[in-house]
Amino acid sequence: VALKRMLNFNVPPVKNSTGEPVWKVLIYDRFGQDIISPLLSVKELRDMGITLHLLLHSDRDAIPDVPAVYFVMPTEENIDRMCQDLRNQLYESYYLNFISAISRSKLEDIANAAIGANAVTQVAKVFDQYLNFITLEDDMFVLCNQNKELVSYRAINRPDITDTEMETIMDTIVDSLFCFFVTLGAIPIIRCSRGTAAEMVAVKLDKKLRENLRDARNSLFTGDTLGAGQFSFQRPLLVLVDRNIDLATPLHHTWTYQALVHDVLDFHLNRVNLEESPGMESSPAGARPKKKNKKSYDLTASDKFWQKHKGSPFPEVAESVQQELESYRAQEDEVKRLKSIMGIEGEDEGAISMLSDNTAKLTSAVSSLPELLEKKRLIDLHTNVATAVLEHIKSRKLDVYFEYEEKIMSKSTLDKSLLDMISDPDAGTPEDKMRLFLIYYISSAQAPSEIDLEQYKKALTDAGCNLAPLSYIKQWK
């Protein structure tokens, strides 16, 4: 809703207006692109009057009679580039939207550039959008995708981290959380564990929220922010948890559809990228090997199959794809059968009476064609994705890993020794083996004795593992 409002020049879109949308250009940076792409498709953007969407730092031509909506982070280089756009008089008017709040000094830079370029009247609006988070699903968002190494577990737990770096990381996290609550229009109750990074985030966020509420005139949480956010008596609960509480889970091999796609395939911002394996046909001797095609698929909220099965165990998903395919084929056959009947010439009486009956059927079949094609597209998509996942499961014996790790984590008895798993040359990549061993190490009540550990280390080294993670976990434990 917030994005659509921004694309509509910060006026809530009117439902019943029949008029054409105003044609406009959307200009974003990489951050803006990441925020918009999981939520709005190109078609939806076009419906809102966006004819062109371009990256801020690409070479853009002047389009003098069109308004431009900017959606960027308020960084130095972005501001410089926007000032340059003003000087070059690229567009008719400028709606500047900043993903998180812009500082006063940077705002003055833009103002100076606008005066210098004699373009003050063309800067229509400047808005802080407070949208610095990426929504992947109705109930899930992530903080950042660009330079995500900045706010990772590793970044916070590096032994050589300086105080200023830590401050930057905390500020980044707090800014995103603050933006999230502004968009939600609610003030959270914050809970966190003491003495961890979570507490640092909590304290900073608390301070930022309080400062904002203190200034009643400019508070983001009063007035008509997003309707009746402030009249609800229930405040959301924000629980901040440090990853150290449970380090085994992120290492655990998964067995549900969405988690597997995320674990074994290249899956970012709801889009999965696959390399198609070249066909089996042998190329003539001396011919160049065929290039692997890259395909990317969007797995979004509008994909009904994905919504229904993303949390299902993988074997169920494979079955469901098969069922969908069969029901699709049945519908397709029905359409084909009707076509062949329609081809009958009107000689015999029987065919004519059948015809009128079938006309109705064919009409309904034709009207359901777009639906059929969409169904076909989804079946193909999930067949390809599921096949790619299955190849990984087979080649790395991921089902064995999953079951074994489940047993370790639930402290039940193990049917084969850990050493056998690690030394089995057919099971998994070195990384899989390392993950398995780390889960065992983290979950075991007492650490294995030095003699056992040496044995394990030798087996891991023989399997080609890098032992650095182990020494870290040992220290951590």
Side-chain angles (χ1 to χ4, degrees):
V1 171
L3 278 177
K4 286 187 166 169
R5 182 153 127 184
M6 174 190 87
L7 295 176
N8 203 31
F9 304 130
N10 290 297
V11 186
V14 188
K15 280 282 187 302
N16 51 13
S17 64
T18 48
E20 281 284 293
V22 182
W23 299 116
K24 47 196 169 281
V25 188
L26 171 64
I27 292 164
Y28 45 50
D29 58 359
R30 291 259 175 238
F31 291 92
Q33 188 179 23
D34 286 346
I35 293 168
I36 292 174
S37 68
L39 292 174
L40 297 171
S41 64
V42 176
K43 181 185 175 303
E44 287 173 291
L45 288 176
R46 196 170 298 128
D47 291 344
M48 299 192 64
I50 305 286
T51 46
L52 218 65
H53 37 95
L54 306 160
L55 278 166
L56 178 67
H57 292 282
S58 57
D59 293 329
R60 291 171 282 120
D61 300 326
I63 313 176
D65 45 358
V66 173
V69 176
Y70 284 77
F71 184 51
V72 295
M73 281 297 242
T75 57
E76 283 291 328
E77 45 186 346
N78 283 353
I79 305 274
D80 290 348
R81 186 62 194 254
M82 289 160 91
C83 296
Q84 198 183 319
D85 287 355
L86 288 172
R87 283 187 216 105
N88 298 345
Q89 300 189 345
L90 290 187
Y91 308 106
E92 177 194 49
S93 55
Y94 303 85
Y95 292 81
L96 311 180
N97 297 284
F98 295 102
I99 297 173
S100 44
I102 182 173
S103 63
R104 170 131 196 142
S105 61
K106 286 183 181 156
L107 207 52
E108 285 169 3
D109 293 347
I110 298 182
N112 288 333
I115 291 169
N118 199 1
V120 178
T121 47
Q122 290 163 326
V123 179
K125 287 194 177 141
V126 180
F127 266 87
D128 289 335
Q129 286 295 348
Y130 292 102
L131 289 175
N132 189 9
F133 56 95
I134 300 171
T135 308
L136 297 177
E137 294 170 23
D138 284 355
D139 309 318
M140 176 167 123
F141 68 96
V142 293
L143 298 190
C144 71
N145 182 51
Q146 297 298 321
N147 39 12
K148 55 169 163 283
E149 279 310 304
L150 278 181
V151 287
S152 59
Y153 175 84
R154 180 174 169 274
I156 297 177
N157 291 284
R158 280 206 334 258
D160 58 343
I161 187 166
T162 62
D163 285 357
T164 46
E165 285 176 309
M166 194 64 165
E167 283 293 304
T168 315
I169 294 174
M170 294 299 134
D171 288 340
T172 314
I173 296 175
V174 168
D175 182 60
S176 287
L177 288 173
F178 183 72
C179 287
F180 173 74
F181 285 108
V182 172
T183 306
L184 200 64
I187 309 270
I189 295 167
I190 307 176
R191 293 282 175 268
C192 65
S193 45
R194 296 219 169 272
T196 57
E199 188 181 19
M200 292 172 70
V201 174
V203 171
K204 272 181 176 281
L205 182 61
D206 179 66
K207 187 170 163 227
K208 192 160 181 167
L209 287 163
R210 281 176 200 281
E211 278 170 6
N212 192 272
L213 288 168
R214 197 171 300 134
D215 177 3
R217 280 180 320 173
N218 296 326
S219 170
L220 295 159
F221 294 97
T222 51
D224 58 339
T225 36
L226 280 178
Q230 73 277 21
F231 296 124
S232 66
F233 291 102
Q234 270 151 340
R235 287 167 56 189
L237 175 67
L238 172 65
V239 182
L240 292 164
V241 185
D242 195 299
R243 182 75 264 175
N244 278 327
I245 285 178
D246 169 27
L247 258 185
T249 305
L251 297 166
H252 185 19
H253 285 87
T254 50
W255 198 232
T256 56
Y257 191 28
Q258 183 178 28
L260 271 167
V261 170
H262 187 260
D263 190 1
V264 302
L265 304 177
D266 171 18
F267 183 55
H268 292 290
L269 301 184
N270 294 347
R271 166 169 292 186
V272 60
N273 296 310
L274 293 181
E275 277 197 357
E276 287 194 328
S277 46
M280 295 308 290
E281 68 267 21
S282 54
S283 45
R288 279 201 202 139
K290 280 208 173 72
K291 205 172 78 207
K292 285 191 171 177
N293 280 340
K294 280 222 155 95
K295 277 238 160 123
S296 64
Y297 302 109
D298 288 322
L299 298 169
T300 56
S302 57
D303 179 339
K304 292 198 182 64
F305 187 88
W306 177 245
Q307 285 307 331
K308 191 170 163 194
H309 295 292
K310 64 186 178 192
S312 313
F314 189 73
E316 278 181 33
V317 176
E319 254 171 64
S320 306
V321 173
Q322 194 54 41
Q323 286 165 2
E324 291 280 312
L325 190 59
E326 279 161 18
S327 83
Y328 166 76
R329 289 211 173 118
Q331 275 173 294
E332 198 182 37
D333 290 345
E334 176 66 3
V335 176
K336 281 187 185 152
R337 197 179 64 81
L338 289 171
K339 274 189 186 159
S340 65
I341 292 178
M342 296 308 261
I344 295 173
E345 299 299 86
E347 264 94 47
D348 55 356
E349 290 298 301
I352 301 229
S353 63
M354 272 170 79
L355 214 64
S356 56
D357 179 30
N358 279 311
T359 313
K361 277 193 190 163
L362 189 72
T363 318
S364 78
V366 168
S367 62
S368 66
L369 268 180
E371 213 174 286
L372 260 179
L373 290 172
E374 175 61 12
K375 202 169 183 180
K376 174 94 170 79
R377 186 185 73 81
L378 288 183
I379 292 171
D380 289 350
L381 183 160
H382 288 287
T383 308
N384 289 348
V385 173
T387 312
V389 172
L390 188 62
E391 278 170 15
H392 280 277
I393 294 177
K394 276 189 191 151
S395 65
R396 290 161 55 182
K397 296 197 180 170
L398 295 183
D399 46 344
V400 185
Y401 276 97
F402 167 71
E403 283 174 27
Y404 201 84
E405 289 165 8
E406 285 279 279
K407 285 181 182 155
I408 293 177
M409 290 164 88
S410 59
K411 310 267 192 284
S412 45
T413 49
L414 303 171
D415 47 1
K416 60 191 255 194
S417 83
L418 187 63
L419 215 54
D420 292 348
M421 282 284 289
I422 295 172
S423 8
D424 177 358
D426 298 333
T429 59
E431 193 184 72
D432 290 326
K433 295 180 179 181
M434 198 68 209
R435 279 165 66 175
L436 171 69
F437 185 70
L438 289 179
I439 291 176
Y440 164 71
Y441 195 85
I442 293 168
S443 307
S444 56
Q446 71 269 20
S449 65
E450 281 302 313
I451 306 165
D452 288 354
L453 197 59
E454 282 309 312
Q455 252 191 318
Y456 284 129
K457 275 187 172 171
K458 185 180 176 315
L460 286 166
T461 318
D462 292 347
C465 299
N466 170 8
L467 294 184
L470 180 58
S471 43
Y472 175 79
I473 292 288
K474 211 169 150 184
Q475 236 175 339
W476 170 85
K477 190 155 180 170

